[in-house]
Amino acid sequence: MADKNIPTKIYLGENEIPKAWYNVRADMKNKPAPLLNPGTGQPMKPEELEPVFCRELIAQEMDNDTAYFDIPGEVREFYKMFRPSPLIRAYQLEKALGTPAKIYYKFEGNNTSGSHKLNSAIAQAYYAKQQGLKGVTTETGAGQWGTALSMACAFFGLDCKVFMVKVSYEQKPFRREVMRTYGASVTPSPSMETQIGRKILADHPGTTGSLGCAISEAVEVAVGSEGYRYVLGSVLNQVLLHQSVIGLETKAALDKYGIKADIIIGCAGGGSNLGGLIAPFMGEKLRGEADYRIIAVEPSSCPSFTRGRFAYDFADTGMVCPLAKMYTLGSDFIPAPNHAGGLRYHGMSTILSQLYHDGYMEAVSVPQSEVFEAAEQFARTEGILPAPESSHAILGAVNEALKCKESGEEKTIVFGLTGTGYFDMVAYEKFHDGKMDDYIPTDEELARYAAKLPNIK
Amino acid sequence: MADKNIPTKIYLGENEIPKAWYNVRADMKNKPAPLLNPGTGQPMKPEELEPVFCRELIAQEMDNDTAYFDIPGEVREFYKMFRPSPLIRAYQLEKALGTPAKIYYKFEGNNTSGSHKLNSAIAQAYYAKQQGLKGVTTETGAGQWGTALSMACAFFGLDCKVFMVKVSYEQKPFRREVMRTYGASVTPSPSMETQIGRKILADHPGTTGSLGCAISEAVEVAVGSEGYRYVLGSVLNQVLLHQSVIGLETKAALDKYGIKADIIIGCAGGGSNLGGLIAPFMGEKLRGEADYRIIAVEPSSCPSFTRGRFAYDFADTGMVCPLAKMYTLGSDFIPAPNHAGGLRYHGMSTILSQLYHDGYMEAVSVPQSEVFEAAEQFARTEGILPAPESSHAILGAVNEALKCKESGEEKTIVFGLTGTGYFDMVAYEKFHDGKMDDYIPTDEELARYAAKLPNIK
């Protein structure tokens, strides 16, 4: 059954860990639109960002032209703990589906943070250390990013302050303990530690918090503390740059065995994993060297690509961050409380938004219970318990593979399996008990949020 | 810093997955003592075991002479999902310890069950399927074995009935949900589904169950149901045989790079992981071809090797299973309720017991809070969140590495990292909050249990 000479799991050697991240913006004709200062409506200047972000990361954020950024030696050393990650042929899933398609997945869950987030966390922690900082602050919702950042900070001896949305803090005590194991301080948000936290608690006693509030608290502490900066795990250009390590390895593994991908699929929340996975393939496509179908899979409950507007919007619910031009549902859109988890962001990476707008990629949205059906089938056949987020990509791949079954085509499908679901068993339990919520916003609802988008040409 | 040409993570190719399991009994001059029928006091005959166990597994259990058993093709195919597992050089841990020792660990946690248990679960499920059985029953305490068996049964389409100690069922709902994801039925024990369960519930209303009771229920259901057998995840000779895949890969990886181990360390509960890891090294030692220090690390709270008697004893608390000659604390010894988790068994594999008795290996016992200190140091340096059980081996390796630091010796230490701690964060939380229980049984207490051992020469 197996293809001769191609192992089920393709592991590259450590010397094949990429030596540079690839910046897809360098190959884009239409560059992603710049961030705007919400006060002036003018493009943000580096010095305006310096109180919040690390210097080197601001440079990466704003550079639309440099194609490759060297990966620092210490970051590559850390990458060796969990990279190169395996590219796995899903023989058992193919068999279960009865498809002639060849399905490969790049598995990023083989590290304690349980997701791809570590790829950027270690880079951001490195530049913070290089700048002589004492520590960093961040927010976390589901907890993957907070965990990854805790691990990265432990490695460089940086202080790490995580504001965790209170409801997650209470409902996900295990995530919290993993972060504590890595030495991070974890504060339930809103907290009494910040002005904004105290104000929110005074105005809304008993609130269980929101990501928007946690961001505001993390930024306030970073700006107000000597030697601290704020770091973010998705959406930003710098994050997609770091995550390009996923795609570079995937491409190297495919090239090594002479495999040509036809379709590349990733789940999409803020866009960090998808942008990383597709980067070098998109580069070839932009340069006219190769063609691929590239598909973003997003939750029906939070359909930024498929039902959002391409417009300038606030990047955060609290409207304190810069404006970004992106596919958005409106910065105060809050998805129904189901378990799309890390994919519940109202907007999308400006890079991916521009590429989608220019027709270089497709997007589909899928309902929650179908995602969990795919997750369970994948767990039983391939033996890996996938994160709900990653399972959107699994479902996307399954759907394409079933199309191949109908047409008889032997297409090669590659998808990103971003992480594991060990901390998501509450969602699996809901699914097993038939209590999964499949809410899809109505057109009227989305129009109501869209009407409130800031009026910027 | 790194040794030239030796990668941090040594991955063998899939074609290097062992083709046969190694049976260390074949090289033992003093064979492990046979199981005795508790009624007659005579060695158990295969036909006496057939109502309970699968036929082929009984043959493996009783065979003290065959050195190699072919690994069936379908089992090797399944092994490819997570094997060969990596042998990793702990450069970061070495640096943190400042030791000249070279520390390697064989990491068995890279699969959804999160531990080495899957190596034997898939073998046992395979032989059940081959025998034309409909399903298997088992018990699970902490949940690693139940999870592994669920995965294996899903692969072969076997029914899987797990009796989970009620207190774990309620306190570890996530473990339960993982098993359900793989299609297993999970019943809190004691239950109303069995005679013994109903009796216990009538006698002790409100009991939260015990492993002994769960075993009894699982055996009763297996014996009383057409097409079912009972399977067990540790202690038995057959399980150590299957787990030899760990040691065979470890040795192949070391040999491939010309590395000679000086010390081999594993944690010890029932002995499955330790017996598997050391098998081929012990074989060389028994044949006089090489010498190694081989060290079992057990919890101070349940010190079978270091403070138990070498004697015939019941293998289970309920005293329904055969008698086994082993290092034991007495079949009704129940360790203090701390978090040694899967290492809380009162006895020890008969194979390892005989080898220890004959001086081929050493044993040490370690207190719980030191184990968690080592676990946390390991997590922060090596990036993997270890299971509490596995962390006993980490501490054993750390202690040997610190001796090397004192003596200046560059010894090569290999230890088994059996699994991950994602489902053990309650224990980590206790540790972080300074509430870890370090109870060590007194001599008087142990003597009281030992006095009740059955009187068999």
Side-chain angles (χ1 to χ4, degrees):
Chain A
M1 185 178 67
D3 283 340
K4 265 181 224 142
N5 304 322
I6 304 182
T8 306
K9 296 183 307 241
I10 304 177
Y11 275 104
L12 299 174
E14 281 168 11
N15 55 346
E16 294 169 284
I17 291 175
K19 295 191 173 49
W21 294 299
Y22 166 63
N23 180 10
V24 73
R25 287 167 284 166
D27 284 309
M28 290 169 69
K29 265 171 229 134
N30 299 328
K31 306 293 183 188
L35 297 174
L36 299 186
N37 182 317
T40 64
Q42 294 302 306
M44 293 291 289
K45 291 180 194 130
E47 55 271 29
E48 292 176 300
L49 292 168
E50 282 224 3
V52 180
F53 292 118
C54 301
R55 210 172 301 123
E56 194 64 31
L57 292 168
I58 296 169
Q60 293 181 355
E61 189 65 28
M62 297 194 150
D63 190 329
N64 285 340
D65 303 306
T66 306
Y68 287 93
F69 286 83
D70 284 348
I71 303 177
E74 286 178 74
V75 173
R76 290 188 80 235
E77 206 52 47
F78 186 89
Y79 275 171
K80 285 185 188 170
M81 283 193 202
F82 61 105
R83 310 209 66 87
S85 70
L87 181 70
I88 305 172
R89 174 79 182 268
Y91 282 117
Q92 303 299 338
L93 178 63
E94 292 170 17
K95 205 166 103 184
L97 296 172
T99 178
K102 297 172 180 183
I103 307 175
Y104 291 86
Y105 55 97
K106 179 72 168 171
F107 181 41
E108 292 289 316
N110 258 352
N111 68 76
T112 287
S113 79
S115 82
H116 67 292
K117 297 282 185 187
L118 199 50
N119 297 326
S120 183
I122 190 62
Q124 297 195 44
Y126 169 81
Y127 291 116
K129 186 75 181 175
Q130 284 298 103
Q131 195 173 328
L133 297 175
K134 205 177 142 196
V136 293
T137 72
T138 199
E139 81 292 337
T140 201
Q144 289 183 331
W145 168 247
T147 308
L149 190 67
S150 304
M151 292 178 67
C153 287
F155 189 74
F156 286 122
L158 279 170
D159 190 32
C160 180
K161 285 183 196 284
V162 180
F163 287 88
M164 187 170 187
V165 178
K166 191 184 267 176
V167 61
S168 297
Y169 183 90
E170 286 165 358
Q171 290 183 353
K172 291 197 164 190
F174 293 174
R175 271 283 182 205
R176 185 185 76 209
E177 286 309 317
V178 179
M179 290 185 256
R180 285 177 79 196
T181 300
Y182 287 95
S185 78
V186 187
T187 306
S189 166
S191 77
M192 295 299 284
E193 292 184 20
T194 65
Q195 280 192 329
I196 182 88
R198 287 189 291 272
K199 180 172 184 322
I200 289 172
L201 283 171
D203 294 349
H204 307 89
T207 176
T208 56
S210 72
L211 206 56
C213 168
I215 293 178
S216 304
E217 290 202 81
V219 171
E220 181 183 324
V221 169
V223 173
S225 311
E226 184 69 29
Y228 281 80
R229 291 295 185 281
Y230 167 73
V231 294
L232 183 67
S234 189
V235 185
L236 297 176
N237 297 342
Q238 60 188 265
V239 180
L240 268 72
L241 174 70
H242 306 148
Q243 294 295 357
S244 70
V245 70
I246 305 173
L248 292 165
E249 282 184 12
T250 302
K251 192 163 180 334
L254 292 173
D255 289 351
K256 188 166 186 169
Y257 290 97
I259 304 160
K260 167 74 173 66
D262 297 301
I263 308 175
I264 298 158
I265 298 173
C267 63
S272 74
N273 116 78
L274 178 66
L277 172 66
I278 67 174
F281 303 99
M282 184 60 84
E284 290 188 301
K285 193 165 173 169
L286 289 164
R287 296 190 303 270
E289 296 165 7
D291 197 19
Y292 305 96
R293 280 184 64 206
I294 295 175
I295 307 174
V297 187
E298 59 183 15
S300 299
S301 59
C302 193
S304 332
F305 267 140
T306 50
R307 299 175 67 199
R309 310 276 173 100
F310 187 45
Y312 265 107
D313 193 9
F314 289 96
D316 64 321
T317 318
M319 302 189 184
V320 298
C321 293
L323 292 157
K325 190 173 179 191
M326 57 185 176
Y327 279 85
T328 178
L329 298 165
S331 67
D332 55 352
F333 175 83
I334 294 180
N338 67 8
H339 289 274
L343 305 183
R344 292 158 54 83
Y345 184 61
H346 69 276
M348 185 57 66
S349 140
T350 59
I351 295 174
L352 295 185
S353 292
Q354 188 65 50
L355 289 167
Y356 180 63
H357 186 69
D358 292 343
Y360 286 104
M361 51 187 285
E362 310 164 36
V364 293
S365 71
V366 291
Q368 192 74 355
S369 50
E370 282 181 34
V371 167
F372 274 83
E373 278 165 32
E376 190 164 277
Q377 180 176 40
F378 186 82
R380 292 185 186 184
T381 52
E382 291 294 314
I384 294 171
L385 185 76
E389 293 88 348
S390 324
S391 303
H392 288 71
I394 296 174
L395 177 57
V398 164
N399 287 341
E400 289 298 326
L402 290 177
K403 283 184 207 164
C404 289
K405 187 178 179 178
E406 269 186 42
S407 67
E409 288 171 291
E410 289 189 28
K411 285 184 181 165
T412 296
I413 300 169
V414 175
F415 74 90
L417 187 72
T418 54
T420 50
Y422 298 113
F423 294 103
D424 300 293
M425 296 318 294
V426 170
Y428 274 94
E429 185 175 16
K430 278 197 182 176
F431 171 65
H432 294 146
D433 294 342
K435 294 178 185 162
M436 186 56 76
D437 178 10
D438 260 342
Y439 182 77
I440 298 175
T442 62
D443 288 342
E444 293 68 33
E445 205 178 336
L446 293 182
R448 213 159 54 234
Y449 287 108
K452 292 191 277 179
L453 285 171
N455 187 18
I456 291 168
K457 64 165 172 50
Chain B
M1 181 181 66
D3 283 341
K4 266 180 227 145
N5 305 321
I6 304 182
T8 306
K9 296 182 307 241
I10 304 178
Y11 274 105
L12 299 174
E14 281 167 11
N15 55 346
E16 293 170 285
I17 292 176
K19 293 188 175 50
W21 293 300
Y22 166 63
N23 180 11
V24 74
R25 286 168 284 165
D27 285 308
M28 291 168 69
K29 267 172 226 132
N30 298 328
K31 305 294 183 188
L35 298 174
L36 299 187
N37 181 317
T40 65
Q42 294 302 306
M44 293 292 287
K45 294 180 192 127
E47 55 270 29
E48 293 177 297
L49 292 168
E50 283 225 0
V52 181
F53 293 117
C54 301
R55 212 172 299 126
E56 194 64 31
L57 293 168
I58 296 169
Q60 294 180 355
E61 188 67 26
M62 297 194 148
D63 191 329
N64 284 341
D65 304 306
T66 306
Y68 287 95
F69 286 83
D70 285 347
I71 303 177
E74 287 177 73
V75 174
R76 291 187 79 234
E77 205 53 45
F78 186 89
Y79 275 170
K80 284 186 189 170
M81 283 192 202
F82 61 104
R83 310 209 66 86
S85 69
L87 180 71
I88 304 172
R89 174 79 181 269
Y91 281 116
Q92 303 299 338
L93 178 63
E94 291 170 17
K95 204 166 104 183
L97 296 172
T99 179
K102 296 171 181 183
I103 307 175
Y104 291 86
Y105 55 98
K106 178 73 168 169
F107 181 41
E108 292 288 316
N110 258 351
N111 69 75
T112 288
S113 79
S115 83
H116 68 292
K117 296 283 185 187
L118 199 50
N119 297 325
S120 183
I122 191 62
Q124 296 195 44
Y126 170 81
Y127 291 117
K129 185 74 180 175
Q130 283 299 102
Q131 197 174 324
L133 296 176
K134 204 176 143 196
V136 293
T137 72
T138 199
E139 81 291 337
T140 201
Q144 288 184 332
W145 168 246
T147 308
L149 191 66
S150 305
M151 292 178 68
C153 286
F155 189 73
F156 285 124
L158 280 170
D159 191 32
C160 180
K161 284 182 196 288
V162 180
F163 287 88
M164 186 169 190
V165 178
K166 190 183 268 176
V167 59
S168 298
Y169 182 90
E170 286 164 358
Q171 289 183 354
K172 293 196 162 191
F174 294 173
R175 270 283 181 206
R176 185 185 75 209
E177 287 309 318
V178 179
M179 289 184 257
R180 285 177 80 196
T181 300
Y182 287 95
S185 77
V186 187
T187 305
S189 168
S191 76
M192 295 299 284
E193 292 184 18
T194 65
Q195 280 192 331
I196 183 87
R198 287 188 293 271
K199 182 173 184 322
I200 291 171
L201 283 171
D203 293 351
H204 307 89
T207 177
T208 56
S210 72
L211 206 55
C213 169
I215 293 178
S216 305
E217 289 203 84
V219 171
E220 181 184 323
V221 169
V223 172
S225 311
E226 184 69 28
Y228 281 80
R229 292 294 185 281
Y230 167 73
V231 295
L232 184 67
S234 188
V235 185
L236 297 176
N237 298 341
Q238 59 187 264
V239 179
L240 269 72
L241 175 69
H242 306 148
Q243 295 295 357
S244 69
V245 70
I246 304 173
L248 292 166
E249 282 184 12
T250 303
K251 190 161 182 332
L254 293 172
D255 289 350
K256 188 165 186 169
Y257 290 96
I259 305 160
K260 167 75 174 65
D262 297 302
I263 308 175
I264 298 157
I265 297 174
C267 63
S272 74
N273 117 78
L274 178 66
L277 172 67
I278 68 175
F281 303 98
M282 184 60 84
E284 290 187 301
K285 191 164 174 171
L286 288 165
R287 296 189 302 270
E289 297 165 8
D291 198 19
Y292 305 97
R293 280 185 65 206
I294 294 175
I295 307 174
V297 187
E298 58 183 17
S300 299
S301 59
C302 191
S304 332
F305 267 139
T306 49
R307 299 174 69 198
R309 310 278 173 95
F310 186 44
Y312 266 106
D313 193 9
F314 289 95
D316 64 320
T317 318
M319 301 189 184
V320 299
C321 292
L323 292 156
K325 191 173 181 191
M326 56 185 178
Y327 279 85
T328 177
L329 299 165
S331 66
D332 56 352
F333 175 83
I334 294 179
N338 67 7
H339 289 275
L343 305 182
R344 292 158 54 82
Y345 185 61
H346 68 276
M348 186 55 67
S349 142
T350 60
I351 295 174
L352 295 185
S353 292
Q354 189 65 49
L355 289 166
Y356 180 64
H357 186 69
D358 291 344
Y360 287 103
M361 50 187 284
E362 309 165 36
V364 294
S365 71
V366 291
Q368 192 73 354
S369 50
E370 283 181 34
V371 168
F372 275 83
E373 279 166 30
E376 190 163 276
Q377 181 176 40
F378 186 82
R380 291 185 187 183
T381 52
E382 292 294 315
I384 293 171
L385 184 77
E389 294 88 346
S390 324
S391 303
H392 288 72
I394 296 173
L395 177 56
V398 164
N399 287 341
E400 289 299 325
L402 291 176
K403 284 185 206 163
C404 288
K405 186 178 180 177
E406 269 187 40
S407 66
E409 289 170 290
E410 290 188 28
K411 285 185 181 162
T412 295
I413 300 168
V414 175
F415 75 89
L417 188 71
T418 55
T420 50
Y422 298 112
F423 294 103
D424 301 293
M425 296 319 294
V426 170
Y428 274 92
E429 184 174 19
K430 277 196 181 176
F431 171 67
H432 294 145
D433 293 343
K435 294 178 183 163
M436 187 56 74
D437 177 12
D438 260 341
Y439 182 76
I440 297 174
T442 63
D443 288 341
E444 293 67 32
E445 203 178 337
L446 293 182
R448 215 161 50 235
Y449 287 107
K452 290 191 276 179
L453 284 172
N455 187 19
I456 291 169
K457 62 168 174 38

